[in-house]
Amino acid sequence: MVKGIVVSHIVSTKKQPSLVGNKFMEVRLLENDQPTEKFLVAVDSVGAGIGETVLITTGSSARLALANQDSPVDAVIVGIVD
């Protein structure tokens, strides 16, 4: 898992059918609680908002966090850090 800060949401006018209804977020990655110049796009499974610190799972296991586990997903927000 990696930690990051949600910086924006991404609007997609056309999606792969299994991703319809999912929200995409742009996340700035953190290392040692410091922002980096690394960003990624993750599917939001917990309702995170802009400015929130989140936990992201990546890789092939990320899709297991979604209702449709056959979705072509490589990064999913799975938690909000308090």
Side-chain angles (χ1 to χ4, degrees), residues 3 5 8 12 31 37 40 48 56-57 62 64 66 69 80:
K3 192 161 59 167
I5 298 174
S8 68
S12 175
E31 290 179 5
E37 294 302 316
L40 59 79
I56 303 160
T57 188
L64 300 177
L66 300 176
Q69 295 183 354
I80 299 172

Side-chain angles (χ1 to χ4, degrees), residues 1 6 8 12 24 26 29 33-35 39 43 46 48-49 51 53-54 56-58 61 67-69 72 74 82:
M1 273 196 244
V6 177
S8 68
S12 175
F24 297 153
E26 181 180 18
L29 299 181
D33 287 329
Q34 298 299 315
F39 294 82
V43 174
V46 295
T53 302
V54 294
I56 303 160
T57 188
T58 59
S61 62
N68 183 350
Q69 295 183 354
D74 191 47
D82 283 340

Side-chain angles (χ1 to χ4, degrees), residues 7-67:
V7 293
S8 68
H9 65 297
I10 298 191
V11 177
S12 175
T13 56
K14 187 158 178 118
K15 295 180 184 176
Q16 201 274 340
S18 67
L19 294 173
V20 172
N22 289 304
K23 187 169 62 167
F24 297 153
M25 306 298 272
E26 181 180 18
V27 180
R28 185 175 197 169
L29 299 181
L30 297 173
E31 290 179 5
N32 298 324
D33 287 329
Q34 298 299 315
T36 67
E37 294 302 316
K38 299 175 187 174
F39 294 82
L40 59 79
V41 175
V43 174
D44 182 15
S45 70
V46 295
I50 294 173
E52 291 189 294
T53 302
V54 294
L55 292 176
I56 303 160
T57 188
T58 59
S60 61
S61 62
R63 63 188 170 84
L64 300 177
L66 300 176

